Amino acid sequence: MAWRWPTYASGMSMTYDATGVHDVALRARTASHDLALTTRAVKDEALHAMAASLLEQAPAILAANAADVARAEGNGTSANIIDRLRLTDERLAAMADGLCEVAGLADPVGEVVRGSQLANGLELRQVRVPFGVVAMIYEARPNVTADAAGICLKSGNAVLLRGSSSARSSNAAIVTALRAALESAGLPQDAVQLVPGDSHDSVKALMRARGLVDVLIPRGGAGLIRSVVEESTVPVIETGVGNCHVYVDATADLDQALAIVVNSKTHRTSVCNAAESLLVHADVADEFLPAVIDALGAHGVTIHGDEQFAEYDDVVSATEEDYGTEYLSSDISAAVVADVEEAITHIRRYSSGHTDAILCRDQATIRRFVAAVDSAAVLVNASTRFTDGGEFGFGAEIGISTQKLHARGPMGLPEMTSTKYIVVGDGHVR
Amino acid sequence: MAWRWPTYASGMSMTYDATGVHDVALRARTASHDLALTTRAVKDEALHAMAASLLEQAPAILAANAADVARAEGNGTSANIIDRLRLTDERLAAMADGLCEVAGLADPVGEVVRGSQLANGLELRQVRVPFGVVAMIYEARPNVTADAAGICLKSGNAVLLRGSSSARSSNAAIVTALRAALESAGLPQDAVQLVPGDSHDSVKALMRARGLVDVLIPRGGAGLIRSVVEESTVPVIETGVGNCHVYVDATADLDQALAIVVNSKTHRTSVCNAAESLLVHADVADEFLPAVIDALGAHGVTIHGDEQFAEYDDVVSATEEDYGTEYLSSDISAAVVADVEEAITHIRRYSSGHTDAILCRDQATIRRFVAAVDSAAVLVNASTRFTDGGEFGFGAEIGISTQKLHARGPMGLPEMTSTKYIVVGDGHVR
């Protein structure tokens, strides 16, 4: 028995898409062997070349994108999604800038995470190494194509990109530009590849490509992420579902609290770190509820509230489902809680473990909340919108992990690596 | 839609075992909330109480174990497995000592992994936190029951233990002793629980308990690990399959090489860091092959060799399958390679990514091998047997990860934790 996990290729009759995935994955593996040994200087040069190539090939990319947009409009796609799909000169320039910024970040590969000399004289080092082959499955926005390629290249990984079929022409044009740049920099073009095939079969084949693909990262809505997590035999990093809470304690500075609640909910509603649920301590409900209902109403937010909230005009009665919902819209669920313990219990039940915030001036209450709430990020007297790789100073972000294994919270370059131990002796035996 | 991943409980008609697993997992979750907030002093006291309780309850544990051993003997179980199953006063004392050793190790929980003050004044800390609920699925040896309970408790995790049915009485008696100690130390007994049900249904239910169980760690043979990895929707840490290689370069010190090959293969054959394959540079084949064939033969090792090896007496011809096999016995596959590149190519094809060693005096060749071989541990001029948490100085080991996500190589206490970000502001909004 060969030890390697049998790939799906050996165990199932292959559709066209599975064959195609198998082929690109094998080419990615070969490219990954070179990439793992590529120095930072060469990778940075390639990143700058990729940025330049995007700008040079702007006419072709924008034409391809126009075709995608026209098709989407013909399909009756919503304006919101068409906006995410659309590329402009400015957005293309931002993609190119993003690649140059990644070039400016430290190379995680080769970093010695820990090291020591053992009692018997063996030298032990734990060193960051690339994963190898990373696959991304993502939705409408074509800028993810360039972002993911840049982050994977810098972290020494070959990447397989499976964007949405609505962006297929845009993604193909972007990848063509990136691959030309890789070649000019002396790196294997197969470091960046699109997954062939438009059907769900190619996604399925990716999810079953254990042994060929090292890590699978889905970026998109809850439905996509759930299906990948449930079906994939390739290790997955779950990203981005955020049912984020803001708890306003009895001791909160209520003016500050009002500003933070409004900012958390309305600064940008379609993102995973937007607040989706508001909890208010009973002792300040009579004072805070009218103010927050007014302020959110002025921003066009619909509040789905419990009995106490629903006594006010314009508040809709919340169902059990509301408390578990990531709206990604101008809606927020809301409830009055007896104390911090009830807030913690509520959050344990409904939070997606992304970001939960407490607004509070009492040190013991803050300490209790921070210790008891088990989310990727726990914020104190700050907007939930701060859970972000850019805000945290990571420089580049591939997504925000909401799982506990490997990486949790915003993932930068170090999170895109594994480690290995190097042990050097001089004839050592046990 | 409630956000939480629906547990298997909501989505399938439950067998008895699934109901049982659901119940213990919910109790573990509740216990984990307490454990996450328990100080090191209390956890260490509990670990010492657990050690004492094992010794106090030795008569009951040994009687239960005798019943397991008698049943196994009645079933015609192999002597090898019965040896792993059998407990003695000495083995029980070693289990108790192990718990006391874990008490002596640093608490990983609360460690600040990184921290900074952001430009806007937000204070950012990334802090180690327990996973929450860890499930272990393991085979015959009942000492794993106490080891896993100790490591999980120290790292603040509640643990669900699913040992082999052949050890069910032993495991039940051990867990009874451990739970009594937890109670005496003021900790929830449900921090350590056996998974009810003897059938494979309970394993299946564990693997589908996403949202209830945070991490699943299988420890055992390749078949067990493969089935868990393929079927689990709970994140898995893969452990322990080791098809480990030793490559003897042309520049190796051949006396040293002989000792290292013999030690790697014969020091203990049933363990994952034993060598299973030998590669020898063609330039030293005429000198080294007779010596190594003699030396391994003297230790009763059967060599499954390529054509050049098979010219010697007592060498069996290797099949393609041999090179992919983790024997865990007195067998080794062997081949002559043209150079270090051919050795690397062979290892990339057949290695399980556990431990691979080069024996060599040339710095450039070592550098090439260490960079190109992507295994959890790459050893230079040392026996493969050194890939071990104890040898690495970690003090306790829950297993050796052969996956790239989260932990790779020997896993100690820090590898049994996740992290969360704590972000403290003073009214910060974006």
Side-chain angles (χ1 to χ4, degrees):
Chain A
M1 173 201 79
W3 178 85
R4 283 278 181 212
W5 296 103
T7 66
Y8 63 92
S10 66
M12 65 185 252
S13 61
M14 284 183 288
T15 63
Y16 166 78
D17 284 337
T19 317
V21 168
H22 186 253
D23 289 350
V24 294
L26 284 181
R27 289 208 299 270
R29 173 68 60 202
T30 302
S32 79
H33 293 154
D34 284 351
L35 276 186
L37 307 178
T38 301
T39 59
R40 172 174 178 176
V42 173
K43 292 189 285 193
D44 290 351
E45 190 192 321
L47 287 162
H48 285 294
M50 286 157 72
S53 185
L54 282 183
L55 299 180
E56 278 162 33
Q57 300 198 22
I61 294 169
L62 293 176
N65 183 253
D68 283 336
V69 169
R71 203 174 54 247
E73 286 171 341
N75 293 342
T77 304
S78 73
N80 179 25
I81 290 182
I82 287 177
D83 177 57
R84 291 186 185 202
L85 179 58
R86 193 186 310 273
L87 290 177
T88 60
D89 280 319
E90 290 69 33
R91 287 184 176 182
L92 216 44
M95 283 161 65
D97 287 349
L99 290 168
C100 296
E101 277 168 29
V102 171
L105 298 174
D107 187 343
V109 176
E111 186 197 340
V112 179
V113 177
R114 61 177 154 186
S116 60
Q117 178 156 321
L118 304 181
N120 59 9
L122 279 176
E123 294 162 26
L124 178 74
R125 275 173 295 156
Q126 185 183 17
V127 177
R128 283 201 189 283
V129 294
F131 284 127
V133 177
V134 173
M136 298 274 306
I137 302 180
Y138 53 101
E139 292 180 338
R141 289 185 301 161
N143 64 308
V144 174
T145 305
D147 289 356
I151 290 175
C152 287
L153 182 75
K154 183 73 182 234
S155 53
N157 296 293
V159 68
L160 299 178
L161 297 160
R162 206 326 183 150
S164 114
S165 56
S166 66
R168 61 172 170 253
S169 302
S170 315
N171 289 338
I174 292 166
V175 166
T176 298
L178 299 179
R179 285 168 61 96
L182 286 171
E183 188 169 43
S184 74
L187 288 178
Q189 293 201 343
D190 289 337
V192 177
Q193 294 179 85
L194 281 185
V195 173
D198 245 6
S199 73
H200 188 66
D201 286 351
S202 65
V203 174
K204 274 222 157 120
L206 261 189
M207 294 193 294
R208 306 300 298 180
R210 192 174 180 99
L212 289 173
V213 174
D214 294 300
V215 181
L216 189 56
I217 304 177
R219 265 180 76 168
L224 167 70
I225 292 169
R226 181 179 305 194
S227 90
V228 171
V229 162
E230 299 245 320
E231 292 178 42
S232 180
T233 60
V234 173
V236 171
I237 300 179
E238 222 183 295
T239 64
V241 175
N243 182 14
C244 304
H245 294 74
V246 178
Y247 165 61
V248 180
D249 187 63
T251 67
D253 174 325
L254 293 184
D255 291 335
Q256 219 180 61
L258 195 64
I260 291 174
V261 170
V262 169
N263 184 261
S264 297
K265 178 66 247 180
T266 69
H267 182 257
R268 205 165 152 203
T269 58
S270 64
V271 290
C272 59
N273 60 13
E276 305 288 10
S277 199
L278 168 65
L279 302 174
V280 178
H281 192 292
D283 290 357
V284 290
D286 285 344
E287 183 179 353
F288 191 65
L289 263 52
V292 79
I293 290 167
D294 254 20
L296 288 172
H299 281 82
V301 174
T302 303
I303 300 177
H304 305 256
D306 67 352
E307 280 182 21
Q308 210 165 331
F309 268 91
E311 282 170 13
Y312 293 84
D313 288 344
D314 300 326
V315 172
V316 179
S317 285
T319 63
E320 168 80 9
E321 252 184 58
D322 279 305
Y323 294 111
T325 297
E326 184 194 28
Y327 294 110
L328 299 173
S329 63
S330 290
D331 294 82
I332 191 166
S333 65
V336 173
V337 292
D339 54 20
V340 69
E341 294 306 323
E342 200 177 308
I344 290 167
T345 302
H346 182 103
I347 289 169
R348 280 180 175 161
R349 179 159 184 189
Y350 294 109
S351 171
S352 64
H354 185 297
T355 297
D356 296 297
I358 181 171
L359 314 184
C360 178
R361 283 185 291 202
D362 179 64
Q363 196 263 351
T365 307
I366 292 170
R367 193 171 142 92
R368 168 70 187 147
F369 185 91
V370 165
V373 170
D374 185 27
S375 296
V378 181
L379 275 69
V380 179
N381 295 326
S383 168
T384 58
R385 290 279 292 126
F386 285 107
T387 303
D388 174 89
E391 293 293 325
F392 280 11
F394 296 172
E397 177 189 289
I398 196 91
I400 296 179
S401 165
T402 51
Q403 71 180 31
K404 296 183 185 174
L405 216 58
H406 186 73
R408 198 175 188 207
M411 289 189 290
L413 291 171
E415 283 73 25
M416 293 300 287
T417 63
S418 183
T419 60
K420 73 179 174 193
Y421 286 100
I422 299 169
V423 186
V424 181
D426 183 25
H428 286 68
V429 293
R430 279 178 77 178
Chain B
M1 174 200 76
W3 177 84
R4 282 275 181 214
W5 297 103
T7 66
Y8 63 93
S10 65
M12 67 184 252
S13 61
M14 283 184 288
T15 62
Y16 166 78
D17 283 336
T19 318
V21 169
H22 187 254
D23 289 349
V24 294
L26 284 180
R27 289 209 298 270
R29 173 69 59 204
T30 302
S32 78
H33 293 153
D34 285 351
L35 276 186
L37 306 179
T38 300
T39 59
R40 171 173 179 177
V42 174
K43 291 189 285 192
D44 290 351
E45 190 192 321
L47 286 162
H48 285 293
M50 286 157 73
S53 186
L54 282 183
L55 299 179
E56 278 164 33
Q57 300 198 23
I61 294 169
L62 294 176
N65 182 252
D68 283 336
V69 168
R71 203 174 54 247
E73 286 171 341
N75 292 343
T77 305
S78 74
N80 178 26
I81 291 182
I82 287 178
D83 177 57
R84 293 185 184 201
L85 178 58
R86 193 186 309 275
L87 290 177
T88 60
D89 280 319
E90 290 70 33
R91 287 183 176 183
L92 215 45
M95 283 161 65
D97 286 349
L99 291 167
C100 296
E101 278 168 27
V102 171
L105 298 173
D107 188 343
V109 176
E111 186 198 340
V112 179
V113 177
R114 60 178 155 186
S116 60
Q117 177 155 321
L118 304 180
N120 57 11
L122 279 177
E123 294 162 26
L124 177 73
R125 275 174 295 156
Q126 184 183 18
V127 177
R128 283 202 189 283
V129 294
F131 284 127
V133 178
V134 173
M136 297 272 306
I137 302 179
Y138 53 102
E139 292 180 340
R141 290 184 301 161
N143 64 306
V144 174
T145 306
D147 289 357
I151 290 174
C152 287
L153 181 75
K154 183 74 182 233
S155 53
N157 296 294
V159 68
L160 299 178
L161 298 160
R162 209 314 185 160
S164 111
S165 57
S166 65
R168 61 173 170 253
S169 303
S170 315
N171 289 338
I174 292 166
V175 166
T176 298
L178 299 178
R179 285 168 59 96
L182 286 169
E183 189 169 44
S184 74
L187 289 177
Q189 292 202 344
D190 289 338
V192 178
Q193 295 180 85
L194 281 186
V195 173
D198 245 5
S199 73
H200 187 67
D201 286 352
S202 65
V203 174
K204 274 220 158 122
L206 261 188
M207 295 193 293
R208 307 299 299 180
R210 193 174 179 99
L212 290 173
V213 175
D214 294 299
V215 181
L216 189 55
I217 304 176
R219 264 180 75 170
L224 167 70
I225 292 169
R226 181 179 304 192
S227 89
V228 171
V229 162
E230 300 244 319
E231 292 178 44
S232 181
T233 60
V234 174
V236 171
I237 301 179
E238 223 183 292
T239 65
V241 175
N243 182 14
C244 304
H245 294 74
V246 179
Y247 165 60
V248 180
D249 187 62
T251 66
D253 175 325
L254 293 185
D255 291 336
Q256 217 180 64
L258 194 65
I260 292 174
V261 170
V262 169
N263 185 263
S264 297
K265 178 67 247 181
T266 69
H267 182 257
R268 205 167 153 201
T269 58
S270 64
V271 290
C272 59
N273 59 13
E276 305 288 9
S277 198
L278 169 65
L279 302 174
V280 178
H281 192 291
D283 290 356
V284 290
D286 286 343
E287 182 180 353
F288 191 65
L289 262 52
V292 79
I293 290 167
D294 255 20
L296 288 172
H299 280 83
V301 174
T302 302
I303 300 176
H304 304 258
D306 67 353
E307 278 182 21
Q308 208 165 331
F309 267 92
E311 283 170 12
Y312 293 84
D313 289 345
D314 301 327
V315 172
V316 180
S317 285
T319 62
E320 167 81 10
E321 251 184 59
D322 279 305
Y323 294 111
T325 298
E326 185 194 27
Y327 294 110
L328 300 173
S329 63
S330 290
D331 294 81
I332 192 167
S333 65
V336 173
V337 293
D339 53 19
V340 69
E341 294 306 323
E342 200 177 309
I344 290 166
T345 302
H346 182 104
I347 289 169
R348 279 181 176 160
R349 180 159 182 190
Y350 295 109
S351 172
S352 64
H354 186 298
T355 296
D356 296 295
I358 181 172
L359 315 184
C360 178
R361 283 185 291 202
D362 178 65
Q363 196 262 352
T365 307
I366 292 170
R367 192 171 144 94
R368 168 71 187 148
F369 185 92
V370 165
V373 170
D374 185 27
S375 296
V378 181
L379 274 69
V380 179
N381 295 327
S383 167
T384 58
R385 290 279 291 126
F386 284 107
T387 303
D388 174 90
E391 294 292 326
F392 281 11
F394 296 172
E397 177 191 288
I398 197 91
I400 296 179
S401 165
T402 50
Q403 71 179 31
K404 295 184 185 173
L405 216 58
H406 186 73
R408 198 175 189 208
M411 290 189 291
L413 290 171
E415 284 74 24
M416 293 300 288
T417 64
S418 183
T419 60
K420 73 179 174 192
Y421 286 99
I422 300 169
V423 187
V424 181
D426 184 26
H428 286 67
V429 293
R430 280 178 75 177

